[in-house]
Amino acid sequence: MSQKKPNYNLIGKSPRKVDGLSKCTGVTKFADDLELPRMLFCKIHRSHVAHARIVSIDTSAAEKIPGVKAVLTGKSLPISFGILPVSQDEHALCLDKVRFVGDPVAAVAAIDEDIAFDAINAIKVEYEPLDPVFEPEEALKNEVPPIHDYGDDGNVHKRVSMEFGDVEKSLADSDEVFEDIFFYEGNTHLAMEQHSSLAWMDPDSRITIWSSTQTPHYLHRAAAKVLEMPPSRVRIVACPNGGGFGGKSDPFNHEIVVAKLAKMTNRPVKVTLTREEVFYCHRGRHPVLMRSKMGVKKDGTIQGLHFETLLDGGSYGSYGVASTYYTGALQTVTYKVPTYRFDGVRAFTNKAPCGPKRGHGTPQPRFGMEVQLDKVAAKYGLNPATLRLSMMQPKDSITANWLRIGSMGLSRCIEKVVEGSDFNNRHGKLPRGSGVGIACSSYICGAGLPIYWNNLPHSGVQLKCDRGGGVAVFCGETDIGQGSDTVLATCVAEVLGVDLYDIRIVAGDTDLTPVDLGSYSSRVTLMMGNAAIQAAERARELLAKAVGEKLEVPGSRLGFAENRIFDVENTETGVTFAEGVVLAESKFGTIGTVGSYTPPPSPGRFRGHGVGPSPAYSYSAAVVEVSVDEETGMITVDKVWIGHDIGQSINETLVIGQVEGSVYMGLGEALMEEMTYRGNRFGVHKIPSLLDYKSPTTKEMPEVVTYLIEEPDENGPFGAKEVGQGPLLPIMPAVANAVYDALGVRVDEVPITPAKVLKALSNKDLRHGPTRFPDLKITEQDRMRVKTQEEGGDGRSDKPFDRKKKKEAVKP
Amino acid sequence: MMRLPAFAYHAPNSAREVVEILAGEGPSASIVAGGTDLFPNMKRRHQTPKTLVSLQDVDELRGVSWQSDGSLRIGPGEILRALERDADIGNRLPALVAAVRSISTPVLRNMGTIGGNLCLDTRCNYYNQNYEWRRAINFCLKCDGDTCWVAPGSKVCWAVNSSDTAPVMMALGAKLRLISPRGTREVDAQDFFQNDGIDYLAKKPDELLTDIEIPDQGKSRSVYLKLRRRDAFDFPVLGVAARIELDGEVVKNADIVINAVSPAPTRANASEKALIGKKMSDDVLAEAALLAYKPSKPLDNTDFEYAWRKKMVKVYVRRALEHIRSSFLI
Ligand SMILES: Cc1cc2nc3c(=O)[nH]c(=O)nc-3n(C[C@H](O)[C@H](O)[C@H](O)COP(=O)(O)OP(=O)(O)OC[C@H]3O[C@@H](n4cnc5c(N)ncnc54)[C@H](O)[C@@H]3O)c2cc1C
């Protein structure tokens, strides 16, 4: 096991958040709290048809309404954008086509919201209807006009096929091949804060957009491009987000629309979306139909795996290409999977666009895989926890699909939850109606590659020491409630030995802060943390030199703690931190340092290798206990035990908060959340409201016992790994497995509703779930083969990876 | 944010004034009590009254008092929270308090009134949507359109009565008093609700509900069971109110009312008949439950699958009766 941990002052403890009091007293300014003199209000006219060509837009009546200052349509913003370079398929306002009910078509700026509301209702749009498509299986058939004029073919946005090792042979050599089909319904982020943006163009022609965004850097790029302004004249200020979960990580049409309206009117313009509009922004969990063929030996261990996914992408690309790869990327990092094949297709449909939600693309396959393993264990009479423990992917290894694993604490997570829940004495032994289920998972700590191709750092931190002893830290990160401001301050405070609350954080401002790619992909703590440590260590070096000279002790003998710099061998001898800054500034001039972080290169060198690699992987295991009412099918979750391999907590309370929040969100996905549409009723979203879109309340939330496993990872700041997303992943399959333990029925589908439980009980095979999986039409040409490391491969595929060719596929 | 349309606002001090203002303004005026149902509806443009007459300052519409004959008079303006906290009501009318306590959330129960709950607009997830959404389905029969999307071809609206207290009032035999310029009239709760999602109350727009009277319950026992997704916040997708009076071990009177599966709370007549004169054995209860299940016709316009909701009628009626049976043993 790891060597003894250093004695930290702050790391791993739980001081209150640096912005905690402001949040609790309501002082924090979220985007919608901002007001500027002469501010106008924007409202957006949205499509009320699912798929149509725009014949004409008549805005004349709206323009005549007193108080309306500007009306905007797509023709004033003709340049397309999108988060991924390969899917620049969105317009701030639809140009010639609408693709789902809720697509933005026109916008107004008026002196108050009521007038703006009247004005959007006075806009008349004439449509020429096109056949809509609402189901990905239908989209695969390519019988209707494509929703976009790019993609792999027809309504197939992306088709992926990759094989690592000879899976066919592994399956043939297995004692048994388990074949299962699963469905994971889409769901949305449901952040409490509705998206809001305010834009203003100053008289010197510089535009500022304050916005509830998780990714100010990407918004900066998109806004400059669409507004046709040099990036140097566009400033994005990411306001503290009232929750993000991935729902605020695309550049959004409304952000660009208010900027354009501000330009047109020379007045500040604000938009705050209604809850219904937030449902239309979506970018949430893709509905995924999947088929898994798992070859196992009699002892249950995996010999080979063939996993197929069909993603319902909704109407735009968003992160979808990455999402598609993610449904196949991380099956290999928990248990040994010697050979692995993944086929995936993302289809366009006329619904709100899907994208990244907490766990991005991995909860769906994780659900399938963990339920399937439970079936393997049940069939062979194995303890499902022991089975998992018998095939751990070793630490410091390379997986079949060329992911490099560093630290790996999954077995300790399993041991903890098994012990805490008394799993071995209770699984299979509780009275009918009660059950316990186990599942595991893993998640990346930041993607190894950025979203657009570049060699630049993923996170940058600038640090300035003041003569009075204060420290200002500048970073492009965005606090979305997860506490990244606190993590940043904690890393710096630990290195410099200063009071946490003496640190001032300046974050998420493209004019003032160095780039951090954003609060997504569980990347912030690891990447920003490393950059912050580097910046702080550089400052510390300067201070140590100057103070060492003054105290006549070698710099290496100086300690930094409690706002002092002192001789560790004679702690009485020292100066205050402020005095240290004065000494250093006298010697070196202004004390300002920088730090940056770039992830290590991935060993894979095939096309698509960019999705999956990460500097480190977090691990989680969960046991869920349920009671199921056999007559109604209603499920009550009684208790959850969850172990999470965090590497090292930076702030323990924040880590536990993320674990509990993940459990909460996971239970919602497992039991009730559904982003559903009425395909036979014009394709409207069924329930776009906080009352009708069902998500658990405090009353449904069970007791959660959290175990943190701390085995520092050499790539993490102080050894830290992620916690924002990983702990969500085991919850849904653990619930499904617990329901099986309670009643002996399999619901191979989330959400696991009472009706589905009853259907499973009445079905002959005691199962409810999908029974068919369509042909994904993978051709030899689509299929890429990579030898595994064990087979002597070098990470390259049989098809040369030609970046230039990939570029051509980019739609201008 | 969704915004309220503009309206004129009156807050008179007496019931008489309320009625006068309503009469003067005509159908474009509306009563508002707690506003927890009306205001969300106005934001979605279901109703856009030009004038609102608030009951907030009408003291005579509040208060609860036990009469000498054992009956209870409740002022319709009483907030739900007050009823829920009244220990006497809790002891003597547990079914009513169970229903009240299950309504929405504590915050909303601090505003919402019992009268507003009885007059609650019917609900449907083609209807409880904002203006833009409804435009995408070309509106619906209940509001601004002419198709019932729950049952296209239907001439009537199938929006669901979702009040938790309505079925209880029916089961307990409550009487309601209404005043209008035409005078005062009394209706049985039974006759107050109509099986039409649009015209769902036997109350005229200019009538004010002034009194709710629940008769002495004698030795009968009652219960209210509510089915919904979450234990707070959610409207019922099935509500079962039941009252049983025994003569020895034999059922003398039975009242079973099913709600939230149709535009009006519905009496399960066949179930009631099947119980009367019988002992409350397992078989008898199962039979009564089956008889309630058969005619119930939930449709696809609330949360949950409607076929499952129908199945639950059987389970919930039986459980309600079992609950009463065991309460007689205490
Ligand atoms: C999120 C949410 C959840 C809810 N959950 C539930 C639930 O679980 N169960 C449930 O039953 N309800 C629920 N409700 C609805 C509502 O809160 C309650 O029914 C409440 O009791 C309504 O009372 P109110 O005083 O607010 O009515 P208001 O909104 O003021 O009025 C409702 C209607 O009654 C009429 N009215 C009111 N008082 C009188 C009177 N004295 N005479 C004549 N007409 C009158 C009004 O004109 C209006 O048409 C919920 C509401 C919300 C917003």
Side-chain angles (χ1 to χ4, degrees):
Chain A
M1 229 208 63
S2 51
Q3 62 284 57
K4 207 177 153 299
K5 272 195 233 159
N7 244 336
Y8 294 122
N9 289 317
L10 284 168
I11 299 300
K13 312 227 163 87
S14 294
R16 82 176 139 79
K17 284 171 113 172
V18 295
D19 53 354
L21 294 181
S22 300
K23 290 243 167 86
C24 293
T25 52
V27 169
T28 303
K29 290 247 183 276
F30 296 93
D32 190 35
D33 294 323
L34 302 178
E35 260 177 51
L36 289 175
R38 302 177 67 242
M39 185 171 90
L40 301 174
F41 294 83
C42 163
K43 286 242 172 238
I44 294 170
H45 176 106
R46 293 173 186 275
S47 167
H48 58 264
V49 296
H51 197 196
R53 204 164 291 291
I54 298 174
V55 177
S56 66
I57 306 176
D58 179 1
T59 60
S60 54
E63 278 157 26
K64 281 190 205 109
I65 296 176
V68 171
K69 297 293 172 189
V71 181
L72 181 65
T73 60
K75 63 178 192 297
S76 308
L77 290 166
I79 297 176
S80 69
F81 66 97
I83 183 71
L84 299 187
V86 292
S87 322
Q88 300 285 301
D89 60 0
E90 296 183 53
H91 285 92
L93 296 167
C94 295
L95 272 188
D96 48 357
K97 254 182 102 166
V98 292
R99 296 179 170 88
F100 74 104
V101 173
D103 225 357
V105 175
V108 300
I111 56 171
D112 70 35
E113 254 189 294
D114 292 328
I115 295 174
F117 178 77
D118 289 342
I120 58 167
N121 284 313
I123 293 172
K124 297 210 164 42
V125 186
E126 194 190 324
Y127 294 110
E128 175 197 322
L130 295 168
D131 284 340
V133 54
F134 298 115
E135 296 304 327
E137 291 88 338
E138 292 300 309
L140 268 179
K141 289 186 199 150
N142 287 335
E143 283 165 356
V144 295
I147 294 169
H148 287 281
D149 53 9
Y150 82 106
D152 276 350
D153 59 89
N155 276 315
V156 171
H157 176 206
K158 184 72 189 170
R159 182 179 275 117
V160 183
S161 176
M162 40 206 335
E163 181 167 3
F164 305 92
D166 191 341
V167 174
E168 222 160 283
K169 181 166 182 308
S170 303
L171 297 185
D173 292 349
S174 298
D175 289 330
E176 185 167 352
V177 176
F178 283 72
E179 181 172 335
D180 287 286
I181 301 174
F182 299 98
F183 178 65
Y184 199 109
E185 182 57 278
N187 51 57
T188 201
H189 316 85
L190 221 68
M192 288 314 296
E193 180 207 23
Q194 294 147 232
H195 304 52
S196 179
S197 307
L198 166 65
W200 181 54
M201 176 122 134
D202 67 30
D204 299 303
S205 301
R206 287 180 303 232
I207 205 154
T208 303
I209 307 173
W210 292 265
S211 194
S212 37
T213 175
Q214 301 177 239
T215 51
H217 174 61
Y218 297 135
L219 174 58
H220 190 205
R221 290 168 54 85
K225 177 186 170 196
V226 182
L227 296 169
E228 300 180 75
M229 286 174 74
S232 55
R233 298 296 181 89
V234 178
R235 175 186 181 191
I236 309 295
V237 181
C239 298
N241 285 201
F245 312 110
K248 295 166 184 162
S249 46
D250 286 54
F252 280 103
N253 48 69
H254 61 265
E255 296 172 311
I256 295 166
V257 161
V258 283
K260 182 72 180 179
L261 287 168
K263 250 177 116 170
M264 289 162 69
T265 57
N266 277 318
R267 288 173 72 161
V269 181
K270 182 159 93 178
V271 68
T272 299
L273 303 188
T274 63
R275 178 57 61 177
E276 180 178 345
E277 288 177 295
V278 173
F279 275 94
Y280 297 147
C281 285
H282 191 38
R283 322 287 158 149
R285 188 86 68 229
H286 284 75
V288 179
L289 182 66
M290 50 206 147
R291 176 164 64 191
S292 176
K293 292 185 195 134
M294 185 188 276
V296 299
K297 282 214 301 238
K298 281 261 154 54
D299 64 3
T301 54
I302 301 172
Q303 304 305 301
L305 180 65
H306 180 190
F307 209 92
E308 295 162 277
T309 60
L310 175 60
L311 293 81
D312 182 348
S315 49
Y316 289 96
S318 181
Y319 284 77
V321 170
S323 318
T324 309
Y325 279 108
Y326 270 123
T327 63
L330 299 187
Q331 277 87 327
T332 54
V333 302
T334 41
Y335 320 111
K336 275 184 249 160
V337 178
T339 63
Y340 178 52
R341 176 172 170 189
F342 165 63
D343 301 321
V345 163
R346 182 180 194 259
F348 285 126
T349 55
N350 292 105
K351 302 190 272 196
C354 297
K357 181 187 169 190
R358 205 175 198 172
H360 192 188
T362 69
Q364 302 97 325
R366 185 50 67 179
F367 172 76
M369 185 168 185
E370 296 291 323
V371 171
Q372 194 167 39
L373 274 176
D374 207 63
K375 295 185 183 187
V376 171
K379 173 126 192 219
Y380 293 138
L382 304 166
N383 176 314
T386 317
L387 167 62
R388 286 169 169 84
L389 282 169
S390 74
M391 52 180 178
M392 290 285 104
Q393 175 70 22
K395 67 175 182 188
D396 299 322
S397 63
I398 289 191
T399 65
N401 58 341
W402 291 91
L403 303 179
R404 189 190 290 120
I405 307 300
S407 65
M408 204 284 189
L410 181 55
S411 36
R412 286 182 63 203
C413 295
I414 297 177
E415 284 156 14
K416 278 286 181 192
V417 295
V418 163
E419 191 193 315
S421 63
D422 198 16
F423 185 80
N424 292 342
N425 290 316
R426 300 172 75 221
H427 182 255
K429 299 178 185 117
L430 292 173
R432 188 167 170 84
S434 297
V436 284
I438 190 168
C440 302
S441 65
S442 172
Y443 201 66
I444 56 168
C445 306
L449 288 181
I451 272 168
Y452 63 100
W453 176 245
N454 67 67
N455 283 323
L456 306 168
H458 291 214
S459 188
V461 169
Q462 237 174 333
L463 183 151
K464 184 206 71 146
C465 296
D466 181 70
R467 293 174 191 179
V471 178
V473 185
F474 304 81
C475 177
E477 59 91 7
T478 306
D479 200 311
I480 59 172
Q482 87 281 46
S484 56
D485 282 2
T486 303
V487 169
L488 179 56
T490 306
C491 290
V492 172
E494 181 69 38
V495 174
L496 294 180
V498 295
D499 188 309
L500 187 57
Y501 308 100
D502 281 347
I503 292 177
R504 187 161 302 277
I505 300 294
V506 179
D509 183 324
T510 58
D511 264 14
L512 303 182
T513 62
V515 168
D516 173 276
L517 292 180
S519 290
Y520 66 98
S521 181
S522 272
R523 49 174 301 288
V524 181
T525 292
L526 189 136
M527 301 202 187
M528 170 196 76
N530 279 321
I533 291 172
Q534 188 178 63
E537 281 178 344
R538 286 173 174 169
R540 180 174 156 139
E541 215 169 281
L542 296 174
L543 268 67
K545 249 193 208 139
V547 175
E549 256 171 42
K550 164 88 175 174
L551 300 180
E552 297 180 344
V553 292
S556 58
R557 227 173 72 190
L558 290 175
F560 285 65
E562 294 176 8
N563 276 336
R564 284 183 76 234
I565 305 169
F566 54 90
D567 181 356
V568 290
E569 288 174 13
N570 179 13
T571 52
E572 300 293 288
T573 309
V575 298
T576 64
F577 183 78
E579 285 164 352
V581 174
V582 170
L583 289 169
E585 193 173 335
S586 316
K587 189 173 166 66
F588 301 110
T590 303
I591 302 301
T593 57
V594 295
S596 51
Y597 180 78
T598 310
S602 112
R605 278 180 282 174
F606 49 88
R607 184 167 179 183
H609 80 291
V611 174
S614 176
Y617 296 86
S618 76
Y619 289 91
S620 321
V623 168
V624 170
E625 181 173 347
V626 300
S627 315
V628 193
D629 183 328
E630 200 169 342
E631 261 188 324
T632 62
M634 293 251 218
I635 298 168
T636 309
V637 177
D638 300 312
K639 196 164 173 177
V640 176
W641 295 262
I642 180 161
H644 182 70
D645 167 21
I646 181 71
Q648 166 67 54
S649 314
I650 301 290
N651 181 309
E652 194 178 57
T653 299
L654 291 186
V655 170
I656 293 172
Q658 287 297 313
V659 173
E660 290 177 354
S662 293
V663 170
Y664 164 78
M665 189 175 261
L667 291 175
E669 299 196 14
L671 298 172
M672 56 184 88
E673 294 195 28
E674 284 183 274
M675 188 81 174
T676 45
Y677 300 79
R678 291 195 188 270
N680 62 344
R681 299 281 188 265
F682 313 102
V684 290
H685 189 295
K686 212 166 160 181
I687 38 174
S689 85
L690 269 184
L691 175 61
D692 294 319
Y693 177 92
K694 302 299 179 188
S695 183
T697 71
T698 47
K699 283 201 140 186
E700 281 72 44
M701 188 64 187
E703 185 189 345
V704 178
V705 183
T706 301
Y707 306 97
L708 297 182
I709 305 303
E710 297 194 324
E711 273 182 46
D713 190 286
E714 64 174 19
N715 283 336
F718 305 104
K721 302 200 280 189
E722 76 86 37
V723 64
Q725 312 192 65
L728 176 132
L729 302 171
I731 301 303
M732 296 70 67
V735 169
N737 294 343
V739 168
Y740 175 74
D741 192 45
L743 290 181
V745 296
R746 291 287 177 192
V747 178
D748 288 341
E749 185 178 309
V750 295
I752 306 169
T753 61
K756 291 177 192 171
V757 172
L758 291 195
K759 279 179 195 157
L761 274 167
S762 66
N763 283 346
K764 258 215 309 290
D765 59 355
L766 296 178
R767 172 186 181 269
H768 175 78
T771 51
R772 276 175 312 152
F773 190 86
D775 181 0
L776 295 183
K777 301 186 185 147
I778 307 281
T779 63
E780 241 344 275
Q781 216 186 336
D782 299 321
R783 186 121 161 243
M784 188 191 64
R785 291 184 174 82
V786 185
K787 277 195 176 138
T788 64
Q789 195 188 34
E790 231 155 77
E791 292 170 331
D794 62 357
R796 282 179 222 273
S797 78
D798 59 337
K799 296 198 174 55
F801 174 33
D802 188 349
R803 188 158 276 120
K804 225 163 79 224
K805 196 172 139 238
K806 208 171 142 193
K807 266 218 183 101
E808 277 163 25
V810 178
K811 204 197 151 204
Chain B
M1 233 200 10
M2 287 196 291
R3 312 266 304 168
L4 277 173
F7 54 85
Y9 182 75
H10 299 273
N13 297 107
S14 68
R16 193 180 44 83
E17 283 174 88
V18 172
V19 173
E20 277 169 10
I21 299 172
L22 285 177
E25 300 277 334
S28 73
S30 176
I31 295 168
V32 62
T36 62
D37 184 48
L38 186 68
F39 288 141
N41 284 353
M42 286 170 66
K43 286 183 174 185
R44 301 189 198 101
R45 305 298 188 267
H46 293 145
Q47 288 111 37
T48 45
K50 298 259 165 330
T51 303
L52 288 186
V53 190
S54 169
L55 306 184
Q56 180 146 324
D57 296 337
V58 188
D59 290 342
E60 66 193 278
L61 291 179
R62 272 198 289 275
V64 293
S65 51
W66 296 95
Q67 311 296 310
S68 52
D69 63 354
S71 66
L72 174 68
R73 184 262 174 190
I74 305 176
E78 198 53 75
I79 60 166
L80 298 167
R81 201 76 170 139
L83 301 179
E84 170 188 352
R85 285 184 173 151
D86 188 311
D88 279 344
I89 304 181
N91 287 330
R92 293 165 72 169
L93 302 169
L96 178 62
V97 169
V100 167
R101 192 167 282 154
S102 75
I103 294 170
S104 58
T105 65
V107 178
L108 285 159
R109 294 201 294 277
N110 279 330
M111 285 302 289
T113 64
I114 181 81
N117 189 248
L118 289 175
C119 300
L120 184 69
D121 195 1
T122 52
R123 299 184 61 83
C124 169
N125 51 34
Y126 287 99
Y127 168 70
N128 296 105
Q129 305 278 359
N130 76 21
Y131 184 80
E132 287 89 345
W133 188 99
R134 289 185 291 120
R135 189 157 102 163
I137 58 161
N138 296 321
F139 304 99
C140 78
L141 192 57
K142 184 162 160 75
C143 189
D144 304 325
D146 44 34
T147 305
C148 173
W149 292 108
V150 186
S154 167
K155 291 210 169 50
V156 294
C157 161
W158 288 99
V160 170
N161 186 309
S162 307
S163 160
D164 281 304
T165 65
V168 177
M169 294 295 181
M170 268 172 67
L172 301 185
K175 287 190 166 34
L176 309 174
R177 193 165 303 123
L178 301 164
I179 63 166
S180 71
R182 294 178 299 284
T184 303
R185 67 178 180 122
E186 222 169 66
V187 283
D188 286 342
Q190 171 78 41
D191 303 321
F192 190 59
F193 306 102
Q194 307 187 144
N195 204 30
D196 176 332
I198 295 169
D199 203 9
Y200 54 93
L201 292 182
K203 181 185 96 63
K204 299 278 170 305
D206 63 351
E207 283 183 311
L208 170 70
L209 175 62
T210 57
D211 302 270
I212 302 162
E213 212 179 275
I214 302 173
D216 183 11
Q217 296 297 304
K219 288 203 168 61
S220 69
R221 299 286 158 95
S222 53
V223 71
Y224 177 67
L225 295 186
K226 173 173 180 173
L227 175 65
R228 54 172 162 178
R229 183 84 67 157
R230 301 168 295 188
D231 231 3
F233 198 39
D234 282 340
F235 281 93
V237 296
L238 167 66
V240 176
R243 177 176 73 168
I244 299 288
E245 190 184 344
L246 291 184
D247 181 2
E249 282 186 36
V250 168
V251 175
K252 188 173 157 202
N253 280 308
D255 299 272
I256 300 174
V257 182
I258 318 281
N259 201 23
V261 285
S262 47
T266 310
R267 204 167 260 283
N269 292 315
S271 309
E272 294 174 353
K273 242 186 244 145
L275 285 162
I276 290 170
K278 303 221 181 79
K279 283 189 189 171
M280 293 182 81
S281 68
D282 285 352
D283 288 349
V284 169
L285 301 199
E287 173 66 12
L290 190 68
L291 290 169
Y293 156 84
K294 277 187 180 155
S296 79
K297 247 199 330 223
L299 297 170
D300 182 19
N301 59 349
T302 70
D303 186 27
F304 281 126
E305 276 181 45
Y306 62 99
W308 178 80
R309 276 166 64 218
K310 180 171 165 77
K311 279 188 199 147
M312 290 307 104
V313 173
K314 193 163 55 186
V315 177
Y316 270 62
V317 168
R318 202 200 68 231
R319 286 185 181 181
L321 294 171
E322 284 171 353
H323 181 98
I324 291 179
R325 181 172 65 184
S326 53
S327 77
F328 275 117
L329 301 175
I330 305 166

